[in-house]
Amino acid sequence: MRVDLFDFELPEASIALRPPVPRDAGRLLVVRPGDALEDRKVRDLAQLLRPGDALVFNDTRVIPARLSGLRHRPGAPGLRVEAMLHLREAADTWRAFARPGKRLAAGDRVSFGRHRASEPCDLGGLDATIAAKGEGGEITLRFDLAGPALDEAIARIGDLPLPPYIAGKRPTDAQDATDYQTVYAREPGAVAAPTAGLHFSDTLLADLDAAGIARHTVTLHVGAGTFLPVKADDTDDHRMHAEIGRLDAATAEALNAVRAGGGRVVAVGTTALRLLESAADSEGRLHAFAGPTEIFITPGTRIRAVDALMTNFHLPRSTLFMLVSAFSGLDTMRAAYAHAIASGYRFYSYGDSSLLFPARD
C-alpha cells in the first residue's frame, strides 16, 4: 500500500511531554468500527471489558540504552559518538543505531562513558569494537565485557532512551526513570517502553482483578526501530527491524482457553499484539514462541489471536499507525485520529490511549 495513505497532520501541541498523573487518569477513546466513538477514561477499563476476558501485558523492562562515547582510530582525532542499542545478538554483542553513522567504520574502537581510551573498563567506562556496519547508521558493537558484567556497565553509564519527539524538546530527568517504566516491568531488554502499559496503576490492576478480568504476560523487547520513520513510498519496500520475544507454553494454553470459553484476548499495546500474532497459527491458536520477530502488520493482514487492543496514539506514516489501521480499518482509524486531535487527546508515548475493536468482516 502507499505509505502516504497513513499520513495525517498533527499539531505540535498534541504531543505529550509528560504523562498523566496519576497513571490511570489518561483519556481513553473507545473505537468500535461502525459505531459512534466513545470518550472515556483509562480508569474505566474494567467497565468496558467483561468477566472472562484476559488482558495480555508486555513485561519487558526498559534499559538505559543510549550510550555516549569517543571513537578512536589510529591517525585520526577522537570523534564523539552516540549509540542507541536496539537488538542484542550475543552475550557481548549489540546492534545499535549510531550518530554520526557515516563517519564510522568496521574495526573502529569506541570508548563509552569516558574520554580516554587508556582507562580500563573497571574505572567506569566501556570499550567496544565496531564489528560491522549496516545501512541507515546501523552498526554492530562487540563489547569488551559480556553477560551480566556488560549489563551492569550499560546500566551504569547509559541514559534512558526517551523517544526523539520528547527528548528533542526537553532533557531527560529523574522523574522519567519512573514514568517511562510500567509498574509490572520485569524482564530487562527493551530500549523503548510498551507505552500503553504506562497507564496501568496498582489501583487499576486491582479493579480489573475484582471485575473477573484475567491478566497474563508476554515479553517483547521493544527495539529502537520503533522510532524509525517509514521512508519507503510503498509498505512492501519497508524493512522491519527484528525484536526478541517470548511466550511460554502455559500462557499460550491459558489464552487459548480464554477464547474457547467465550472470553476475549485484549492486547495491552502493539508490542503484545505483535508477539501474539507471531505465536499464532493460521487458526488463531497460540503456541509457545521464543526468538526474533520481524512481523509487519498492515491493512489486509488477518489478525488471528487478538480480539481487542489498547494502544496509545501513534506517529503519522508509522508502522504502528499501519497496525491499528489493519486492526480496526484505515477509514475508521483516520476518523478516530481526527476526532482525537480535535478533542484535545494527547499523542505518543506519554499521551492518552485508545481501546480498539476489530473491523467487521
Side-chain angles (χ1 to χ4, degrees):
M1 295 182 69
R2 296 199 330 265
V3 170
D4 61 7
L5 293 173
F6 303 93
D7 203 1
F8 57 89
E9 292 293 328
L10 183 70
E12 284 288 316
S14 297
I15 301 173
L17 299 183
R18 293 287 182 183
V21 178
R23 286 176 181 259
D24 57 14
R27 300 175 71 185
L28 183 72
L29 180 61
V30 182
V31 181
R32 303 178 190 272
D35 295 340
L37 299 169
E38 188 177 353
D39 298 303
R40 299 292 291 263
K41 292 284 190 179
V42 170
R43 61 171 61 104
D44 298 334
L45 185 60
Q47 303 168 29
L48 296 165
L49 301 178
R50 302 190 299 248
D53 288 345
L55 289 164
V56 182
F57 298 92
N58 181 5
D59 65 0
T60 189
R61 188 171 187 84
V62 183
I63 63 172
R66 192 184 303 276
L67 305 180
S68 298
L70 285 178
R71 180 208 67 187
H72 302 281
R73 182 188 295 170
L79 175 70
R80 292 192 179 277
V81 172
E82 182 178 277
M84 169 71 95
L85 307 179
H86 77 88
L87 180 66
R88 190 169 201 157
E89 292 196 322
D92 63 347
T93 305
W94 277 84
R95 287 190 198 175
F97 295 113
R99 294 189 301 177
K102 291 182 179 180
R103 300 181 64 184
L104 302 176
D108 285 347
R109 293 280 290 171
V110 183
S111 300
F112 294 107
R114 55 190 166 77
H115 302 299
R116 295 192 301 275
S118 59
E119 294 178 358
C121 286
D122 60 9
L123 291 183
L126 176 62
D127 288 346
T129 299
I130 298 178
K133 183 177 178 180
E135 298 178 354
E138 187 177 38
I139 60 174
T140 300
L141 288 168
R142 184 168 296 119
F143 291 93
D144 290 0
L145 299 178
L150 175 57
D151 298 340
E152 292 170 7
I154 291 171
R156 184 174 63 249
I157 68 172
D159 294 318
L160 189 74
L162 278 185
Y165 44 76
I166 297 175
K169 296 188 177 188
R170 68 166 180 82
T172 303
D173 58 30
Q175 186 60 42
D176 290 307
T178 299
D179 290 343
Y180 200 60
Q181 204 79 262
T182 65
V183 296
Y184 48 80
R186 185 178 62 188
E187 300 290 340
V191 302
T195 54
L198 299 179
H199 293 281
F200 286 82
S201 63
D202 291 333
T203 299
L204 178 56
L205 293 174
D207 289 346
L208 292 161
D209 292 343
I213 298 157
R215 289 191 273 139
H216 298 277
T217 58
V218 298
T219 304
L220 182 72
H221 292 314
V222 192
T226 192
F227 298 144
L228 296 180
V230 178
K231 295 181 179 179
D233 294 327
D234 192 284
T235 57
D236 287 344
D237 298 323
H238 177 70
R239 180 177 69 90
M240 291 287 285
H241 286 83
E243 296 168 310
I244 301 298
R246 184 179 68 255
L247 168 66
D248 64 48
T251 301
E253 286 306 310
L255 293 173
N256 290 333
V258 166
R259 298 185 96 188
R264 297 173 297 185
V265 171
V266 182
V268 177
T270 57
T271 60
L273 184 146
R274 294 204 308 276
L275 193 282
L276 292 173
E277 291 300 311
S278 298
D281 62 25
S282 61
E283 301 302 317
R285 186 169 180 82
L286 292 165
H287 303 272
F289 179 93
T293 176
E294 300 173 73
I295 191 169
F296 185 18
I297 297 173
T298 59
T301 303
R302 186 167 72 91
I303 305 299
R304 300 163 296 176
V306 174
D307 304 299
L309 169 65
M310 182 176 172
T311 183
N312 285 13
F313 293 94
H314 304 294
L315 282 73
R317 302 174 70 99
S318 65
T319 61
L320 301 184
F321 185 59
M322 294 171 190
L323 184 154
V324 298
S325 297
F327 191 80
S328 296
L330 177 56
D331 290 342
T332 294
M333 291 313 302
R334 289 185 67 88
Y337 271 48
H339 171 84
I341 293 168
S343 302
Y345 279 75
R346 298 168 0 119
F347 273 59
Y348 302 164
S349 296
Y350 276 159
D352 296 312
S353 197
S354 62
L355 179 63
L356 309 182
F357 291 88
R360 296 171 180 172
D361 292 337

